[in-house]
Structure formats: structure tokens, C-alpha cells
Amino acid sequence: MKISVVVPVHNETDNVELLIEEIHRALGDREAYEMIFVDDGSTDDTSVKLQRAMQQYPTLRVLTHQRSCGQSRAVHTGVSAARYPWIATLDGDGQNDPADIPSLVAAWHEQQDSQLWMLAGFRHQRNDTGWRKFSSKFANAVRQSILHDATPDTGCGLKLFLRDKFLALPYFDHIHRFLPALIRMAGGHVISVKVNHRPRNFGQSKYGTLDRALVGIVDLLGVVWLKKRHSLPVVSEVGRG
């Protein structure tokens, strides 16, 4: 499996170098992989650190947004530029563990399912504040009750999916929170795999739980609308006889 690792970052100057090293350690022995860091309009030294790291890691590519466009757009930028058919995504804050990527790959091989288009990380032991844990659990419960996506943790940044299937989905801001439901809507299968979740050692979260909840309600209604408007035809070709 050839993998492009896409990491959106915004003002993560203290995290990017360590994360690059960890990705290299987890995937450096693979036949083909690349790291794509998308600097989403950082105003600190993130860009400087990334350019410096490019001298040491030939598999590292860096893309930049002149201004911050948000996490979903940064992921889309990275996936669009990727060279390989499989995409692994990680949050740029270091809380996702790159060592879990091989576990997702192994889980895909074990399934032997050609329709398995996405493997979603499941942070079964969260290293977050009590309020963040509660809000995430509540949001996941509401989303599952409405979308029936059978995914306990869509907010986990660690995912493995097919590039072409992702790019075929209708894009909107915050799409990354609804990927399992959209992949299922498109006819693919999705499974969840337990992964490690680490505390944030440097920097601060770039969004608040209230902001995310308010935007999430509108997005949830939009995804419901997409599901109702979507159809999957069964196509067969007629022979000439």
C-alpha cells in the first residue's frame, strides 16, 4: 500500500518537527510513502520549521495557504496534491500517534474487503479535559442517531482512506467531521479501529467546543439533506447479442 500522509497545521511551531520525525519512524521502511504538511496560514514559525525539515526528510512536501482557510480545506489541498492512492490524515497537534498508521493498514489487509474505502481511528481513551470529552461524546451520539454512520468517533483526525473516493465527495467546510457518513452514502464501507490518543504537549486548540457545536448543527442538517438527495444506481451494460 502506497500512502500519502496529509497533516494540516496552523501555528504548530513546537509540534511539527517532532511529528515529522515520528511519521518517518513509523513509515520510513515502506516501499513508497510521502508526508504532505499543509501550512494553513500560520503566523508563527511553523513555515520556517517545515522548510528546515525538508532538508532532512526527502519524503516531506510542504504546501502553504496564504491565509487560514480551515482544517477541511487544508486536508483537501493536501489530498488533491497527493501522489499515492491511499491517504492517512493526522491532526497537527501531536495528539494522534503516527505509530498507529501501520495498525490501520494491517486492519485493511485483514478485512479483505474491496469496498472498504475508509478506516477511522477510534480514540477509546481520550487525553482531553472533562468538558471536551463530554462535548465530543454528546456530539457523536447526536450525529449517530441522525446519520446512522456506525462510527463512534468521527472527530478523530487519524484516518486512512482512498484518495479518489474522497475527492469524489461533495466538498464543504468541516467535511472532515462527516467523512464516514459520506463514504457510506457513496457506497463504501467504513470500519473503526482503536488508536492511541495523547495529551497536547505544546500550543493550544485552535477552536472552542461551543463554536464547533454551533457550526456542527448546520453541517449536520446539510449532510442529512445530501443523503436524502443522493441515489446509487445499479448499472449494467447491455450486450450486443
Side-chain angles (χ1 to χ4, degrees):
M1 182 184 288
K2 297 180 179 180
I3 300 175
S4 297
V5 182
V6 174
V7 186
V9 291
H10 176 72
N11 290 347
E12 297 289 359
T13 183
D14 294 320
N15 288 312
V16 289
E17 289 178 310
L18 177 58
L19 190 53
I20 290 167
E21 179 185 345
E22 288 183 320
I23 295 171
H24 174 73
R25 208 158 50 227
L27 300 177
D29 60 348
R30 301 189 69 83
E31 176 186 354
Y33 88 99
E34 64 178 352
M35 296 180 270
I36 302 176
F37 275 64
V38 182
D39 181 6
D40 184 38
S42 293
T43 56
D44 61 3
D45 290 335
T46 296
S47 178
V48 174
K49 297 284 185 70
L50 290 173
Q51 291 179 46
R52 186 167 66 192
M54 289 177 66
Q55 308 304 314
Q56 183 177 354
Y57 298 94
T59 58
L60 173 63
R61 299 167 60 195
V62 177
L63 307 176
T64 61
H65 290 168
Q66 288 189 353
R67 60 179 180 83
S68 179
C69 298
Q71 185 175 353
S72 282
R73 179 53 72 182
V75 169
H76 197 277
T77 294
V79 175
S80 298
R83 299 188 177 113
Y84 297 133
W86 282 94
I87 304 293
T89 57
L90 295 164
D91 286 340
D93 58 12
Q95 289 193 263
N96 299 140
D97 189 347
D100 283 322
I101 297 177
S103 298
L104 296 182
V105 174
W108 181 82
H109 284 295
E110 289 172 4
Q111 293 295 314
Q112 297 185 342
D113 178 0
S114 61
Q115 290 297 110
L116 183 55
W117 298 351
M118 173 174 285
L119 297 97
F122 171 29
R123 300 166 293 181
H124 60 110
Q125 292 182 329
R126 295 283 299 270
N127 270 293
D128 276 323
T129 63
W131 171 247
R132 191 170 291 275
K133 290 178 184 178
F134 168 78
S135 61
S136 179
K137 186 175 182 179
F138 178 76
N140 278 312
V142 171
R143 189 202 66 257
Q144 284 197 67
S145 67
I146 296 174
L147 298 181
H148 308 290
D149 58 12
T151 305
D153 185 15
T154 63
C156 180
L158 179 54
K159 293 181 175 69
L160 180 70
F161 53 84
L162 282 165
R163 175 180 181 270
D164 61 339
K165 304 303 181 184
F166 172 87
L167 292 177
L169 298 175
Y171 175 81
F172 57 90
D173 281 344
H174 312 293
I175 187 178
H176 63 280
R177 299 189 187 121
F178 299 95
L179 283 179
L182 294 169
I183 288 289
R184 290 178 185 275
M185 182 184 74
H189 298 164
V190 179
I191 64 170
S192 295
V193 179
K194 289 183 178 180
V195 296
N196 187 26
H197 188 242
R198 307 181 294 190
R200 175 188 265 277
N201 292 322
F202 305 103
Q204 296 178 342
S205 177
K206 304 304 184 292
Y207 50 83
T209 53
L210 181 58
D211 296 339
R212 181 172 56 179
L214 293 175
V215 172
I217 293 171
V218 176
D219 292 336
L220 181 58
L221 295 175
V223 175
V224 170
W225 181 87
L226 282 173
K227 288 188 67 176
K228 288 184 179 296
R229 293 290 184 177
H230 189 78
S231 62
L232 281 176
V234 178
V235 180
S236 59
E237 184 174 353
V238 178
R240 295 183 179 275

